[in-house]
Amino acid sequence: MTRGSPYAPHTEAETAEMLDAVGVADEESLFDIPADVQFDGDFGIEARSERDVRTELRATFAKNERLTEFLGRGHHSHYVPSLVDDLSRRSEFLTSYTQYQPEITQGFLQVLFEYQSMLVELTGLPVANCSMYDAATALAEAARLAGRVRRVSGTRVLVPEILHAGKRSVLDNYVAGTDLTVETYPMDDGNVDTEALAELADDDVAMVYAENPTVRGAVEENLAAVGDVADDAGALFCLGTDTVALALLEEPASVGADVVVGEADALGMPTAYGMGLGLFATREEFLRQVPGRLVGASEDAGGKRAYTLTLQTREQHIRKERATSNICTNQAWVALRTAMHVAYLGPDGLVELAKRCVTDAESLAADLSDLRGVRAPVHDRHHFREFVARTDQPAKPIASDLESEGFAVHVVGEHELQVCITDLNAGKADALVAAFEEVL
Amino acid sequence: MTRGSPYAPHTEAETAEMLDAVGVADEESLFDIPADVQFDGDFGIEARSERDVRTELRATFAKNERLTEFLGRGHHSHYVPSLVDDLSRRSEFLTSYTQYQPEITQGFLQVLFEYQSMLVELTGLPVANCSMYDAATALAEAARLAGRVRRVSGTRVLVPEILHAGKRSVLDNYVAGTDLTVETYPMDDGNVDTEALAELADDDVAMVYAENPTVRGAVEENLAAVGDVADDAGALFCLGTDTVALALLEEPASVGADVVVGEADALGMPTAYGMGLGLFATREEFLRQVPGRLVGASEDAGGKRAYTLTLQTREQHIRKERATSNICTNQAWVALRTAMHVAYLGPDGLVELAKRCVTDAESLAADLSDLRGVRAPVHDRHHFREFVARTDQPAKPIASDLESEGFAVHVVGEHELQVCITDLNAGKADALVAAFEEVL
Amino acid sequence: VYEPLLAEKNSTRVAVDEEDSPLPDDLTRDSVELPGLSEPELARHYTRLSQMNWSVESGPYPLGSCTMKYNPSFTEDAAADPNAAVHPDRSPESVQGTLELLYDLQDYLGRIGGMDAVTLQPPAGAAGEFTGILVAKAYHESRGDDRSEVVVPASAHGTNFASAAMAGYDVVELPSGDDGRVDMEALDAAISEDTAALMLTNPNTVGLFERDIVDIAEMVHDAGGLLYYDGANLNALLGRGRPGDMGFDIMHYNVHKTFATPHGGGGPGAGPVGVVEELAPFLPSPRVRQRGGNYELFDPEESIGKVHGYRGNWFVLVKAYAYIARLGDEGLADASAKAVLNANYLASQMEYEVPYEPFHHEFAATAGERDAADVAKRMLDYGVHPPTTKWPEFVPEAMLTEPTEIENLDSLDDLAHAFNAAMADSDEELANAPSRTTARRIDQVSAAREPRLSWRALEDES
Amino acid sequence: VYEPLLAEKNSTRVAVDEEDSPLPDDLTRDSVELPGLSEPELARHYTRLSQMNWSVESGPYPLGSCTMKYNPSFTEDAAADPNAAVHPDRSPESVQGTLELLYDLQDYLGRIGGMDAVTLQPPAGAAGEFTGILVAKAYHESRGDDRSEVVVPASAHGTNFASAAMAGYDVVELPSGDDGRVDMEALDAAISEDTAALMLTNPNTVGLFERDIVDIAEMVHDAGGLLYYDGANLNALLGRGRPGDMGFDIMHYNVHKTFATPHGGGGPGAGPVGVVEELAPFLPSPRVRQRGGNYELFDPEESIGKVHGYRGNWFVLVKAYAYIARLGDEGLADASAKAVLNANYLASQMEYEVPYEPFHHEFAATAGERDAADVAKRMLDYGVHPPTTKWPEFVPEAMLTEPTEIENLDSLDDLAHAFNAAMADSDEELANAPSRTTARRIDQVSAAREPRLSWRALEDES
């Protein structure tokens, strides 16, 4: 039983031998810390056994109420097959570092190359990096890229008025050190108000951002028009989406997207309290301005195909303050899980899942609309996974009552609730409708 | 989405190509089953998605009541560290077969060799096989071994009168096809009544079986004497124990044990509804009569140490009806887990755990004895993990009331309960005592 | 690659000290010597060892009669449910979930095998055989019918012989017919009023269906014997034929073969036994039944008792249930169809003679003039696992090959290439094989002649 | 060893068919092309790829400044609790367990760093730096103090430069002193009323403790600047020194370094930021506090807003908490002691010059006349992972080595042997290295010159 770290393997004899080899009497002699800043080691944190920590955490998490979540708005989950958990937990993947020695890390590099490749297929854009932190930081990096590239001269970043507050705040912080400014454009019944957008757009615009589906779940019908507005203004068109939506909705490349961002971890991760995986894809033209890691194919000395991190001169460890981003540690392991999940589903499974996101949402909205005092969806649009419902009664008490009945939904307006349905909660949709009826 | 087995990878095109290569029109043509015994395939079993099966099973198991188990009597568990789950689940271990091609299965062979080695250390006997199904079948195989070896001429197998019913029944079945017979000998205050045993023992005896600790948890104080009785009768002395007890109690070799059997999976496995791991160790002399697999060290063509299954001529696939046992598939993966758990604990941790089995039981017995109407332990012996308590009131209703309070204990007599304490339930010992007080 | 033994990394002797010992000195041992290593060291040790081990997830594993299928990950997660981890002595009322699963699995297996009653207790296939034979024995004894022989084809698994012998029967070996199937004349000669049972594998161990099965059953039954089905090859028949419909009275299921529970390097398996109605009273105790919506344990009236200390290999049974539920009727039938297709396709791509046809999910190729074991060792160098070799014995230099349904066209082509390339290599290359593996050819003879079975034995030597 | 790409195994184009499409044609794409493989094929694919990857459980991973510790298995199990998987928009009342854990971790980190307030939101160390600098900026702005520069030592991590620049600051690079530490005169010259912050790593990136830290802090504070602590090297100080006690105002923690959460091949990490009381109002929103026994989220009064869409990398934070709880005071202090001992022991066994001493948990050896990158490639052939090379730049041909506390005497000796043997090998051997690895030396130049970043790019080529 070690009295120190259970993960330091030293026997007493070994420690003595090593101290001897170094030529000091004890471990303390190795520390060169002036007396006035020495610390006595008393954090007041008691060591616990592995079992006790597990028991404690189980008890802690058991304090979370077991609600069936009909929640989305940017953080989405689908059923993650056991295969993904099992393979991603293999220590060779989980406990490895960034692939600075590609000769002995071909495995992870290939997975990341495959992840990039999947996003290339799904977005239609030829370059995808191998992860950003989340959708918000990916959007923010896209804006910074727009601010850097030569093709763009403007400084205004136009975003929808309904942008998720977290994304907006991150975007503001990421552009605070640049000359970029962020403005909103109006929406029209849940889609981009393209006329209003066109009026706002001029040569001063660096980037126009739109989402499909929107944060309120509406399928965007005017993407090509948005792309045209951006193009006319000499701005980049940045499209926000996710890995499942990409399988069904219009291909970003075909509507003129210059950058695609969003959450890639709608596949691969369980509900994770907002932990994400930033998707980032763009045109070849901007390759050397891309933030984050890129894996490329090359050859080894024997002429065999091999993979390696590439174009590292964009990155902070080489380029320092002139790097395309400060990102170093990214979300590689989440990207690995997402790639595994996409591979598990295959094209059939992925398209099927995406279709269900439309039909399940449509059907749940219809069921809710059948209730007196609810109208859903409020926007006369197609929806993907989620939609907003208008309630005659104030929304907040309804949500609170639903919580008592075991369901979580979003409150997004005084009389507006937002409801998200996926394969994870679809089996409880009828129960949700019944609960609604109960509490209305 | 496959319509057949999700684990058969064939695309339609591949199936067609393969049928073509074989020269048949369809898969049905490959089956050579006479019409009168063909089956239409209707089992009435509906295929379900992976998620649905998991959801269903979770719901099924949730029907088990969440009781704190103070249960033992041959099926014991201690906390299994995550490391064991994590490493044992690695597919290279989990999904491999018996090591018929040792050149590419050195990993598992080495683990089994190490498992054998640990049991050699713990028992003091030089030969341990790499698993039997469980303690009951290990005991039964020991009896059959006694019936086979030249040194022994008798046919009577003497077992304690308190032998676990499952072990007794298995033993009866295993010797039914031999000329061995099973008889019981009496106990004296929870230990072997050595005088009575000596009276029963004569040249007709093939094997004397004793346990340490006994099924009622008592530490056996007369092992050497039992060994002498067996020896005097020209019989084998077979000792039943477990991996944790071995770390503290008398070493089997030192009390003259010829065969050691028992449950090895007190380490390595969670509570498993009785699923076990039969420990089997014996003297060099009986090596070629040992049932089950043996891993030996050898050398490869390059002169490097290598491991291999050995002495396979004892086994059914070579020796057929003259094999030492019919065992083929054994419990290799459980042995791997047990070896990992022993390695995790190390000698310090293992001895420490074993000591707690004595002190925790002693202390719980004392606490129960403090209650009016309970006396524990009933035997004036030292105890390991468990003990029998005598209750003034009938035991059955008490156990039933305890169950309502969330605790499971054994009923072993009209006024006798048996209680087992390990690191898994020790934290609830006070609650158990309180519940006892409540229901008495 | 070489990984030292744990004991070579560290070996620590700990005194079972009298001072702080909770027991008197004479009841304890003096000391314990074991490796004392930290968690990171162990993690590396076992990770490295795992990487020195072939598995289904490494590549093709076409061991004939072993049915090395892919073991779905989700079945592991399903079995790891903490609520599934209960003690066998719990009151039945408090473990209704466990009993429900056992009941449902009994039911599924009964349907799949065409059997009326099933026990889940036997912890492996061989234990299932032993159980089945004990049931047969109990049945005969209950009728005052004293029979002494069990008939087993020469081509049968070694366990059949051993299990029958363990139950006290004399084993009558039935030679294989010229067509690789049961020779009806030889059978007629072997069967008598002493015959307790005939044990058959169907399709048999070279993959042939016993076309005369109805006649065989009649012959055995007419002689008062019982017909036992060895379930090792059930993966060939799922949804297309049921032992119960063919006249078998008793069968065991190898859930680690047919129902894809992991082999674990040699277990744990599970060998449930199914029987016809007449034999149900003799099954091991306890079984599970449903009464008024509740599940309960009961002892069959004339039960043989127990063949395992408790209820068998519980976690394995959970995984088997999960697999069957995942596949359902269509999936199970497709598994068999693809297993048979794969075997036939593979054989078609191999430049080997296959003496017996038409085979189903497995086939016995012959290495002809070459030593089958040498060819197998050479196959290792081509990055695949070889088939079962030199068995069954009536096929000269047999290479019993069973790719199962999980291989695709490409991997079958790879496998065929390995077979063909090995066969084309020189005698010297075969004799020196394998050379690209973790270990080179291992000396089996000296391993058996001077057994060294523990690290202590290695230490004593040096 | 070569494993084809998924798309080389199968590539299937599926029409997003209008007929059964739930959306009008003009809102959908035409088709999707992706690999369509079965579960067994994927299991093998990823298992093989995993075996082509070095990890902490493969062997020594002495990357300087990366702190590749063993990642305890149990922290994974703890984080996998289904009750821990909740949506960030849940009402705080319904996720008290989640908030409790966050609160307790804020508390632990505060104690460990000597900081008054902690945010857990930054999803990585660099994000923590950026957050810390934004906090500094907001602080200065709140006082109407317009400062334009951040001072960073030349030896600092590249992220320091990039993070400061991202926040809009001019970066003033501080040359290293002759002794490898901060040159006080140079610092005096660099600091001015324009200085928003000085970012320091301590011990610095060659393992030296900045002995003048109290004077440095005073100098920065006197100029009205803030002192920022880069937590990358905190593993050297646990229990022996706290940034807060040294005068640092802001720090980030790399939980994937110091607190052993897995690096995952490059993330996810987490980069919590701690600050002194005066800066707490500027931390990102929301933070967690305890009120009357309940936990609640709150927005600090002058919060900079958000640096992550939600609350950061939740699961990583759970694992960090579990690690800290497991070790406690004694374990944390021992981790540092053994990390420092290991670095010193390893250096003592290496035949390399180490220009700067006394180092703590890491040291920069120099390859002298040899190319450090070549020596590193050669080390691969000796079965270990090499150190960080050619950085920091002021050490010629630097080999920045950090064995961490998890290595034992034997593996340190192995590592030293690899270092020494590689150094003793010929130029040709170095140039041709590695030769015993999955891939041989990889052509970085052509990879960057003609980037091929997807399987489509490879296809277009062929």
Side-chain angles (χ1 to χ4, degrees), chain B residues 48 56 65 121-122 273 298 305 330, chain C residues 8 29 90 108 266 311 321 342 443 456:
Chain B
R48 283 150 273 179
E56 173 195 327
E65 286 170 30
E121 296 297 337
L122 289 169
Y273 202 59
S298 183
R305 186 199 296 160
N330 48 37
Chain C
E8 290 168 334
R29 60 192 297 152
R90 284 272 294 260
Y108 278 179
R311 317 280 157 71
Y321 175 89
N342 277 3
D443 185 352
R456 184 171 289 187

PDB file of all heavy atoms in Angstrom, chain B residues 48 56 65 121-122 273 298 305 330, chain C residues 8 29 90 108 266 311 321 342 443 456:
ATOM      1  N   ARG B  48     -34.351  -7.100 -32.595  1.00  0.00           N
ATOM      2  CA  ARG B  48     -34.448  -5.767 -31.999  1.00  0.00           C
ATOM      3  C   ARG B  48     -33.140  -5.024 -32.227  1.00  0.00           C
ATOM      4  O   ARG B  48     -32.107  -5.648 -32.414  1.00  0.00           O
ATOM      5  CB  ARG B  48     -34.709  -5.905 -30.491  1.00  0.00           C
ATOM      6  CG  ARG B  48     -36.149  -6.263 -30.178  1.00  0.00           C
ATOM      7  CD  ARG B  48     -36.262  -7.085 -28.911  1.00  0.00           C
ATOM      8  NE  ARG B  48     -36.120  -8.514 -29.173  1.00  0.00           N
ATOM      9  CZ  ARG B  48     -36.167  -9.453 -28.240  1.00  0.00           C
ATOM     10  NH1 ARG B  48     -36.338  -9.129 -26.979  1.00  0.00           N
ATOM     11  NH2 ARG B  48     -36.046 -10.726 -28.552  1.00  0.00           N
ATOM     12  N   GLU B  56     -34.182  -3.007 -22.984  1.00  0.00           N
ATOM     13  CA  GLU B  56     -34.995  -4.097 -22.448  1.00  0.00           C
ATOM     14  C   GLU B  56     -34.289  -4.791 -21.279  1.00  0.00           C
ATOM     15  O   GLU B  56     -34.887  -5.032 -20.227  1.00  0.00           O
ATOM     16  CB  GLU B  56     -35.263  -5.118 -23.570  1.00  0.00           C
ATOM     17  CG  GLU B  56     -35.946  -6.391 -23.117  1.00  0.00           C
ATOM     18  CD  GLU B  56     -35.840  -7.496 -24.176  1.00  0.00           C
ATOM     19  OE1 GLU B  56     -35.842  -7.172 -25.379  1.00  0.00           O
ATOM     20  OE2 GLU B  56     -35.742  -8.683 -23.773  1.00  0.00           O
ATOM     21  N   GLU B  65     -34.415  -6.490  -6.890  1.00  0.00           N
ATOM     22  CA  GLU B  65     -34.410  -5.508  -5.812  1.00  0.00           C
ATOM     23  C   GLU B  65     -32.979  -5.143  -5.432  1.00  0.00           C
ATOM     24  O   GLU B  65     -32.083  -5.975  -5.494  1.00  0.00           O
ATOM     25  CB  GLU B  65     -35.131  -6.081  -4.579  1.00  0.00           C
ATOM     26  CG  GLU B  65     -36.630  -6.124  -4.780  1.00  0.00           C
ATOM     27  CD  GLU B  65     -37.315  -6.907  -3.681  1.00  0.00           C
ATOM     28  OE1 GLU B  65     -36.789  -6.924  -2.550  1.00  0.00           O
ATOM     29  OE2 GLU B  65     -38.363  -7.512  -3.956  1.00  0.00           O
ATOM     30  N   GLU B 121       2.367 -20.167  -5.600  1.00  0.00           N
ATOM     31  CA  GLU B 121       2.857 -19.400  -4.447  1.00  0.00           C
ATOM     32  C   GLU B 121       1.893 -19.502  -3.279  1.00  0.00           C
ATOM     33  O   GLU B 121       2.285 -19.684  -2.129  1.00  0.00           O
ATOM     34  CB  GLU B 121       3.042 -17.920  -4.815  1.00  0.00           C
ATOM     35  CG  GLU B 121       4.094 -17.636  -5.872  1.00  0.00           C
ATOM     36  CD  GLU B 121       5.503 -18.032  -5.441  1.00  0.00           C
ATOM     37  OE1 GLU B 121       5.773 -18.118  -4.233  1.00  0.00           O
ATOM     38  OE2 GLU B 121       6.334 -18.282  -6.337  1.00  0.00           O
ATOM     39  N   LEU B 122       0.616 -19.361  -3.571  1.00  0.00           N
ATOM     40  CA  LEU B 122      -0.374 -19.285  -2.491  1.00  0.00           C
ATOM     41  C   LEU B 122      -0.633 -20.638  -1.845  1.00  0.00           C
ATOM     42  O   LEU B 122      -0.885 -20.721  -0.642  1.00  0.00           O
ATOM     43  CB  LEU B 122      -1.684 -18.683  -3.019  1.00  0.00           C
ATOM     44  CG  LEU B 122      -1.610 -17.179  -3.331  1.00  0.00           C
ATOM     45  CD1 LEU B 122      -2.851 -16.727  -4.095  1.00  0.00           C
ATOM     46  CD2 LEU B 122      -1.456 -16.373  -2.034  1.00  0.00           C
ATOM     47  N   TYR B 273     -23.922 -14.326  -9.585  1.00  0.00           N
ATOM     48  CA  TYR B 273     -24.988 -15.323  -9.507  1.00  0.00           C
ATOM     49  C   TYR B 273     -24.401 -16.728  -9.488  1.00  0.00           C
ATOM     50  O   TYR B 273     -25.003 -17.663 -10.008  1.00  0.00           O
ATOM     51  CB  TYR B 273     -25.963 -15.147 -10.679  1.00  0.00           C
ATOM     52  CG  TYR B 273     -27.326 -15.730 -10.420  1.00  0.00           C
ATOM     53  CD1 TYR B 273     -28.114 -15.295  -9.348  1.00  0.00           C
ATOM     54  CD2 TYR B 273     -27.855 -16.725 -11.248  1.00  0.00           C
ATOM     55  CE1 TYR B 273     -29.362 -15.833  -9.094  1.00  0.00           C
ATOM     56  CE2 TYR B 273     -29.114 -17.272 -11.013  1.00  0.00           C
ATOM     57  CZ  TYR B 273     -29.861 -16.822  -9.934  1.00  0.00           C
ATOM     58  OH  TYR B 273     -31.098 -17.353  -9.691  1.00  0.00           O
ATOM     59  N   SER B 298       8.505 -23.138 -22.387  1.00  0.00           N
ATOM     60  CA  SER B 298       9.366 -23.888 -23.288  1.00  0.00           C
ATOM     61  C   SER B 298      10.245 -22.873 -24.024  1.00  0.00           C
ATOM     62  O   SER B 298      10.416 -21.755 -23.538  1.00  0.00           O
ATOM     63  CB  SER B 298       8.516 -24.707 -24.259  1.00  0.00           C
ATOM     64  OG  SER B 298       9.351 -25.487 -25.095  1.00  0.00           O
ATOM     65  N   ARG B 305      12.436 -17.888 -24.570  1.00  0.00           N
ATOM     66  CA  ARG B 305      11.394 -18.499 -23.759  1.00  0.00           C
ATOM     67  C   ARG B 305      10.037 -18.268 -24.415  1.00  0.00           C
ATOM     68  O   ARG B 305       9.755 -17.192 -24.939  1.00  0.00           O
ATOM     69  CB  ARG B 305      11.371 -17.919 -22.357  1.00  0.00           C
ATOM     70  CG  ARG B 305      10.381 -18.670 -21.464  1.00  0.00           C
ATOM     71  CD  ARG B 305       9.978 -17.891 -20.245  1.00  0.00           C
ATOM     72  NE  ARG B 305      11.120 -17.670 -19.378  1.00  0.00           N
ATOM     73  CZ  ARG B 305      11.159 -16.712 -18.465  1.00  0.00           C
ATOM     74  NH1 ARG B 305      10.130 -15.896 -18.321  1.00  0.00           N
ATOM     75  NH2 ARG B 305      12.223 -16.560 -17.710  1.00  0.00           N
ATOM     76  N   ASN B 330     -12.886 -23.944 -20.514  1.00  0.00           N
ATOM     77  CA  ASN B 330     -12.868 -23.829 -19.062  1.00  0.00           C
ATOM     78  C   ASN B 330     -13.211 -22.386 -18.685  1.00  0.00           C
ATOM     79  O   ASN B 330     -14.146 -21.819 -19.263  1.00  0.00           O
ATOM     80  CB  ASN B 330     -11.526 -24.323 -18.515  1.00  0.00           C
ATOM     81  CG  ASN B 330     -10.344 -23.722 -19.263  1.00  0.00           C
ATOM     82  OD1 ASN B 330     -10.372 -22.559 -19.661  1.00  0.00           O
ATOM     83  ND2 ASN B 330      -9.309 -24.498 -19.460  1.00  0.00           N
TER      84      ASN B 330
ATOM     85  N   GLU C   8       9.378 -11.523 -12.553  1.00  0.00           N
ATOM     86  CA  GLU C   8      10.713 -11.064 -12.942  1.00  0.00           C
ATOM     87  C   GLU C   8      10.823  -9.545 -12.806  1.00  0.00           C
ATOM     88  O   GLU C   8      11.912  -8.997 -12.738  1.00  0.00           O
ATOM     89  CB  GLU C   8      11.017 -11.504 -14.376  1.00  0.00           C
ATOM     90  CG  GLU C   8      11.208 -13.021 -14.459  1.00  0.00           C
ATOM     91  CD  GLU C   8      11.231 -13.548 -15.888  1.00  0.00           C
ATOM     92  OE1 GLU C   8      10.638 -12.902 -16.784  1.00  0.00           O
ATOM     93  OE2 GLU C   8      11.814 -14.612 -16.110  1.00  0.00           O
ATOM     94  N   ARG C  29      -0.177 -18.617   7.860  1.00  0.00           N
ATOM     95  CA  ARG C  29       1.061 -18.923   7.169  1.00  0.00           C
ATOM     96  C   ARG C  29       2.117 -17.922   7.626  1.00  0.00           C
ATOM     97  O   ARG C  29       1.796 -16.909   8.261  1.00  0.00           O
ATOM     98  CB  ARG C  29       0.876 -18.897   5.667  1.00  0.00           C
ATOM     99  CG  ARG C  29       0.419 -17.553   5.114  1.00  0.00           C
ATOM    100  CD  ARG C  29      -0.028 -17.674   3.659  1.00  0.00           C
ATOM    101  NE  ARG C  29       1.077 -18.081   2.810  1.00  0.00           N
ATOM    102  CZ  ARG C  29       0.923 -18.757   1.674  1.00  0.00           C
ATOM    103  NH1 ARG C  29      -0.299 -19.080   1.271  1.00  0.00           N
ATOM    104  NH2 ARG C  29       1.967 -19.094   0.945  1.00  0.00           N
ATOM    105  N   ARG C  90     -29.836 -15.261  -3.192  1.00  0.00           N
ATOM    106  CA  ARG C  90     -30.899 -14.279  -2.980  1.00  0.00           C
ATOM    107  C   ARG C  90     -32.260 -14.968  -3.094  1.00  0.00           C
ATOM    108  O   ARG C  90     -32.438 -15.926  -3.854  1.00  0.00           O
ATOM    109  CB  ARG C  90     -30.793 -13.183  -4.054  1.00  0.00           C
ATOM    110  CG  ARG C  90     -29.664 -12.201  -3.817  1.00  0.00           C
ATOM    111  CD  ARG C  90     -30.105 -11.046  -2.954  1.00  0.00           C
ATOM    112  NE  ARG C  90     -31.096 -10.254  -3.642  1.00  0.00           N
ATOM    113  CZ  ARG C  90     -30.849  -9.110  -4.282  1.00  0.00           C
ATOM    114  NH1 ARG C  90     -29.639  -8.614  -4.293  1.00  0.00           N
ATOM    115  NH2 ARG C  90     -31.813  -8.456  -4.893  1.00  0.00           N
ATOM    116  N   TYR C 108     -36.185 -19.267 -25.516  1.00  0.00           N
ATOM    117  CA  TYR C 108     -35.554 -19.045 -26.825  1.00  0.00           C
ATOM    118  C   TYR C 108     -34.811 -20.294 -27.289  1.00  0.00           C
ATOM    119  O   TYR C 108     -34.906 -20.699 -28.441  1.00  0.00           O
ATOM    120  CB  TYR C 108     -34.553 -17.894 -26.743  1.00  0.00           C
ATOM    121  CG  TYR C 108     -35.134 -16.511 -26.849  1.00  0.00           C
ATOM    122  CD1 TYR C 108     -34.308 -15.397 -26.756  1.00  0.00           C
ATOM    123  CD2 TYR C 108     -36.498 -16.291 -27.036  1.00  0.00           C
ATOM    124  CE1 TYR C 108     -34.810 -14.104 -26.857  1.00  0.00           C
ATOM    125  CE2 TYR C 108     -37.010 -15.006 -27.124  1.00  0.00           C
ATOM    126  CZ  TYR C 108     -36.163 -13.914 -27.037  1.00  0.00           C
ATOM    127  OH  TYR C 108     -36.651 -12.652 -27.135  1.00  0.00           O
ATOM    128  N   GLY C 266     -10.490 -19.429 -23.943  1.00  0.00           N
ATOM    129  CA  GLY C 266     -10.738 -20.784 -23.437  1.00  0.00           C
ATOM    130  C   GLY C 266     -11.790 -20.800 -22.352  1.00  0.00           C
ATOM    131  O   GLY C 266     -11.714 -21.593 -21.415  1.00  0.00           O
ATOM    132  N   ARG C 311     -25.638 -21.863 -10.653  1.00  0.00           N
ATOM    133  CA  ARG C 311     -26.557 -21.883 -11.793  1.00  0.00           C
ATOM    134  C   ARG C 311     -25.833 -21.782 -13.123  1.00  0.00           C
ATOM    135  O   ARG C 311     -26.429 -21.406 -14.113  1.00  0.00           O
ATOM    136  CB  ARG C 311     -27.542 -20.701 -11.685  1.00  0.00           C
ATOM    137  CG  ARG C 311     -28.110 -20.447 -10.306  1.00  0.00           C
ATOM    138  CD  ARG C 311     -29.245 -21.384  -9.967  1.00  0.00           C
ATOM    139  NE  ARG C 311     -29.389 -21.502  -8.517  1.00  0.00           N
ATOM    140  CZ  ARG C 311     -29.859 -20.538  -7.718  1.00  0.00           C
ATOM    141  NH1 ARG C 311     -30.250 -19.393  -8.216  1.00  0.00           N
ATOM    142  NH2 ARG C 311     -29.937 -20.731  -6.418  1.00  0.00           N
ATOM    143  N   TYR C 321     -28.396 -14.306 -24.561  1.00  0.00           N
ATOM    144  CA  TYR C 321     -29.745 -13.780 -24.714  1.00  0.00           C
ATOM    145  C   TYR C 321     -29.717 -12.519 -25.577  1.00  0.00           C
ATOM    146  O   TYR C 321     -30.516 -12.342 -26.504  1.00  0.00           O
ATOM    147  CB  TYR C 321     -30.376 -13.470 -23.351  1.00  0.00           C
ATOM    148  CG  TYR C 321     -31.731 -12.819 -23.491  1.00  0.00           C
ATOM    149  CD1 TYR C 321     -32.884 -13.604 -23.580  1.00  0.00           C
ATOM    150  CD2 TYR C 321     -31.865 -11.441 -23.601  1.00  0.00           C
ATOM    151  CE1 TYR C 321     -34.126 -13.015 -23.758  1.00  0.00           C
ATOM    152  CE2 TYR C 321     -33.096 -10.843 -23.789  1.00  0.00           C
ATOM    153  CZ  TYR C 321     -34.225 -11.635 -23.863  1.00  0.00           C
ATOM    154  OH  TYR C 321     -35.454 -11.049 -24.056  1.00  0.00           O
ATOM    155  N   ASN C 342     -19.973 -18.725 -46.836  1.00  0.00           N
ATOM    156  CA  ASN C 342     -18.557 -18.411 -46.659  1.00  0.00           C
ATOM    157  C   ASN C 342     -17.688 -19.657 -46.752  1.00  0.00           C
ATOM    158  O   ASN C 342     -16.619 -19.639 -47.368  1.00  0.00           O
ATOM    159  CB  ASN C 342     -18.323 -17.714 -45.313  1.00  0.00           C
ATOM    160  CG  ASN C 342     -18.600 -16.219 -45.399  1.00  0.00           C
ATOM    161  OD1 ASN C 342     -19.022 -15.719 -46.446  1.00  0.00           O
ATOM    162  ND2 ASN C 342     -18.370 -15.507 -44.310  1.00  0.00           N
ATOM    163  N   ASP C 443       8.810 -25.465 -29.015  1.00  0.00           N
ATOM    164  CA  ASP C 443       9.165 -26.861 -28.743  1.00  0.00           C
ATOM    165  C   ASP C 443       8.147 -27.476 -27.780  1.00  0.00           C
ATOM    166  O   ASP C 443       8.181 -27.245 -26.579  1.00  0.00           O
ATOM    167  CB  ASP C 443      10.576 -26.899 -28.128  1.00  0.00           C
ATOM    168  CG  ASP C 443      11.067 -28.322 -27.921  1.00  0.00           C
ATOM    169  OD1 ASP C 443      10.269 -29.269 -28.110  1.00  0.00           O
ATOM    170  OD2 ASP C 443      12.250 -28.480 -27.563  1.00  0.00           O
ATOM    171  N   ARG C 456       8.096 -20.223 -10.282  1.00  0.00           N
ATOM    172  CA  ARG C 456       8.982 -20.840  -9.305  1.00  0.00           C
ATOM    173  C   ARG C 456       9.787 -21.968  -9.950  1.00  0.00           C
ATOM    174  O   ARG C 456      10.969 -22.152  -9.669  1.00  0.00           O
ATOM    175  CB  ARG C 456       8.180 -21.367  -8.112  1.00  0.00           C
ATOM    176  CG  ARG C 456       9.051 -21.941  -7.029  1.00  0.00           C
ATOM    177  CD  ARG C 456       8.282 -22.253  -5.770  1.00  0.00           C
ATOM    178  NE  ARG C 456       7.880 -21.039  -5.067  1.00  0.00           N
ATOM    179  CZ  ARG C 456       7.314 -21.043  -3.869  1.00  0.00           C
ATOM    180  NH1 ARG C 456       7.060 -22.185  -3.249  1.00  0.00           N
ATOM    181  NH2 ARG C 456       6.988 -19.915  -3.284  1.00  0.00           N
TER     182      ARG C 456
END
